[in-house]
Amino acid sequence: MTVIDQKLVNKLIENGVEAALIPGFIRSLANAFLINPNMSYCQALKRLKYLGWEDIDIDYHTFSLAVNVLETKGLSRLKYKSAPWYLSSFNARQSPTIY
């Protein structure tokens, strides 16, 4: 896991995303961006709620970090992957490192 991935995981946990749900949440965000790559923060939150993530409100900085991670990985490469695609070494039992 890269440093930027770890920072994103930490920010998502701070925003209330359970560690075990992070790969699925990132996958949903990636698929939303595949539909509309120029999506704004508000549009992304609305789309995530539509996809069933209504209990999770991420802040703008976490959203920007997620967009950066997705762009770094390449959205076309991530198209419609199953949940484990995001972090193959991700282990929900790991205690996150806070930076």
Side-chain angles (χ1 to χ4, degrees):
M1 182 180 321
T2 66
V3 173
I4 195 166
D5 290 330
Q6 187 62 49
K7 286 184 179 185
L8 177 59
V9 167
N10 291 338
K11 289 295 287 176
L12 288 171
I13 290 170
E14 287 173 17
N15 279 271
V17 181
E18 291 182 38
L21 299 177
I22 289 174
F25 181 80
I26 297 296
R27 180 196 57 203
S28 294
L29 188 59
N31 288 337
F33 272 101
L34 286 166
I35 294 168
N36 181 2
N38 299 316
M39 190 176 340
S40 71
Y41 169 68
C42 293
Q43 289 171 321
L45 290 182
K46 187 175 181 180
R47 182 70 181 165
L48 287 168
K49 289 188 185 312
Y50 173 78
L51 293 172
W53 298 100
E54 59 272 336
D55 293 339
I56 296 171
D57 279 321
I58 60 172
D59 59 55
Y60 181 77
H61 298 291
T62 303
F63 169 76
S64 297
L65 184 60
V67 169
N68 187 322
V69 167
L70 293 174
E71 287 175 348
T72 300
K73 292 186 182 301
L75 278 175
S76 62
R77 203 173 55 112
L78 305 176
K79 191 171 187 175
Y80 304 110
K81 301 282 183 177
S82 61
W85 69 265
Y86 177 63
L87 300 170
S88 58
S89 63
F90 185 78
N91 182 352
R93 290 185 214 124
Q94 291 175 336
S95 43
T97 306
I98 304 296
Y99 292 93

